[in-house]
Amino acid sequence: MRARRAAKLVGKVALGVLGLVAVAVGGGISYVTLAKPNARPPSLEVVERTPERLARGTYLVEHLLPCMHCHSEHDVTRFDAPIINGAGSGGFVFNRTLGLPGVVQPPNITPDVETGVGSFTDGELMRAIREGIGKDGRALFPMMTYSDFKTMSDEDLRAVIVYLRALPPVKKHTARIELDFPVNLFIRLVPAPVVDPVAAPDDAREHIAYGGYLVRLAGCHGCHTAIDGHGQSVKGRDFAGGRAFPMTWQDGKLGPRVVTANITPDPTGYFGHTTKAVWIARVRTYAGMRDNRPTMAPGTNTLMPWIAFSGLSESALGAIYDYMQTVKPINAVVDSFPDATR
């Protein structure tokens, strides 16, 4: 009798717990379904167009930031996949074949009014870049690296705006984002407003921190860190390489992959077996290939923007090297070209 009563009590408790869980889950889903992104109104600032800002924006976008790598089409048959069909006019279409929860195409960011960002105010553009909120108030898919760009200084952000406004407008429609449930809901929780002034570290006084600033804006961590089945960076494997990118995809089939290298200061990583002078010299050697890129055999190309980085200053390249010496060394041997013809 006592055992039967105990069993009934346990059963009631279990049902109660399940009920609470159901209510909590239901409440959580309802919250996410109804929630709007954490956003603030766009700034009313109109960025002054100056030659200095245009020069700085050109330097940042063409040599450091991954804006054009994502928002442009590329010829993947030539070294370093040069841009084709108009810089900033929209990138490749990423879909479920690539493991995405839907269909995402980096949009046209040229100043075309109809198909690009020509109708955006400066404040709307600034908010999209650093805070992940579109012109219409929706949350941008985090493939747009606003989680890194939130550290971009206010002045560098203004320079980027001036550069984007100076691009030749390209009239080219891109696909509207289509995300599967529940990702289409949960991305609303990702954006966060930048409410305080942001300054860049001073290279002369904060050299290592400045290197970290450059590394983050360049997106090095995102490319050189393996991801799990949910598209999240694998914890404890920062900069150890192993993230695979297909160089082509069409008709539901993936082309040859390139796998990012280990760039930690471990002996198996790039920055563990090279000197600062060799690193700088290697990057600089690619400057002469800008207009003379060789054709690459399938499976042997790279997404590493060597030619873009070749335009960085020696001080910036040195700061990147010095910062990378401070990250955790990880033993990891990576085959960067697993699909190359041997």
Side-chain angles (χ1 to χ4, degrees):
M1 182 69 72
R2 188 177 299 168
R4 214 177 309 165
R5 287 178 181 171
K8 286 183 179 180
L9 180 59
V10 170
K12 288 180 180 180
V13 172
L15 287 172
V17 171
L18 287 174
L20 289 173
V21 170
V23 169
V25 171
I29 292 176
S30 297
Y31 170 76
V32 174
T33 301
L34 298 174
K36 293 183 178 180
N38 184 11
R40 63 182 178 90
S43 165
L44 298 178
E45 178 180 0
V46 177
V47 178
E48 182 183 1
R49 278 62 163 162
T50 66
E52 293 77 16
R53 281 181 174 155
L54 179 58
R56 176 65 176 173
T58 301
Y59 175 78
L60 289 170
V61 177
E62 296 189 1
H63 300 297
L64 180 73
L65 302 173
C67 312
M68 297 306 160
H69 307 323
C70 288
H71 289 273
S72 307
E73 292 185 64
H74 299 263
D75 179 358
V76 297
T77 67
R78 295 170 60 203
F79 178 75
D80 200 8
I83 292 171
I84 56 175
N85 299 330
S89 62
F92 286 122
V93 179
F94 297 83
N95 55 32
R96 295 173 183 85
T97 302
L98 299 168
L100 262 73
V103 178
V104 177
Q105 181 179 17
N108 183 343
I109 56 171
T110 73
D112 181 69
V113 174
E114 179 186 353
T115 64
V117 296
S119 65
F120 283 54
T121 66
D122 288 350
E124 287 169 341
L125 260 181
M126 295 163 81
R127 186 179 66 167
I129 292 169
R130 282 204 309 196
E131 302 173 35
I133 300 295
K135 179 180 174 66
D136 57 3
R138 64 185 172 85
L140 301 182
F141 187 61
M143 179 184 289
M144 166 62 181
T145 56
Y146 50 87
S147 59
D148 288 327
F149 289 168
K150 69 182 180 183
T151 64
M152 185 186 302
S153 75
D154 299 336
E155 188 53 38
D156 279 348
L157 179 61
R158 294 184 181 104
V160 169
I161 298 301
V162 172
Y163 175 86
L164 292 178
R165 296 301 197 194
L167 283 173
V170 178
K171 189 171 294 298
K172 179 181 171 184
H173 290 276
T174 53
R176 184 168 179 81
I177 186 171
E178 297 177 8
L179 294 177
D180 300 333
F181 176 85
V183 175
N184 62 334
L185 301 181
F186 285 115
I187 67 165
R188 300 178 189 180
L189 305 178
V190 181
V194 176
V195 295
D196 296 319
V198 182
D202 180 79
D203 187 15
R205 294 183 294 103
E206 305 165 283
H207 183 65
I208 300 295
Y210 185 65
Y213 175 77
L214 299 177
V215 165
R216 188 157 188 183
L217 292 188
C220 303
H221 181 273
C223 282
H224 286 275
T225 303
I227 58 174
D228 60 23
H230 301 289
Q232 301 298 310
S233 297
V234 177
K235 291 183 179 179
R237 304 298 295 175
D238 303 285
F239 299 106
R243 182 169 183 179
F245 291 90
M247 291 300 290
T248 58
W249 50 92
Q250 59 184 7
D251 301 326
K253 298 180 180 179
L254 302 183
R257 300 163 297 163
V258 58
V259 181
T260 54
N262 177 357
I263 58 171
T264 73
D266 184 82
T268 59
Y270 178 76
F271 287 110
H273 62 73
T274 194
T275 66
K276 184 191 296 188
V278 169
W279 152 248
I280 294 174
R282 179 180 180 182
V283 176
R284 286 294 173 79
T285 60
Y286 292 102
M289 296 176 63
R290 185 174 298 277
D291 299 315
N292 184 29
R293 307 186 189 216
T295 300
M296 305 297 290
T300 64
N301 209 342
T302 180
L303 290 177
M304 174 68 178
W306 290 111
I307 295 175
F309 282 0
S310 70
L312 291 174
S313 70
E314 183 170 335
S315 177
L317 290 171
I320 289 171
Y321 179 91
D322 290 337
Y323 173 79
M324 291 306 300
Q325 297 301 313
T326 71
V327 308
K328 177 185 175 182
I330 297 176
N331 185 282
V333 177
V334 177
D335 179 3
S336 293
F337 307 107
D339 299 331
T341 303
R342 306 297 185 183

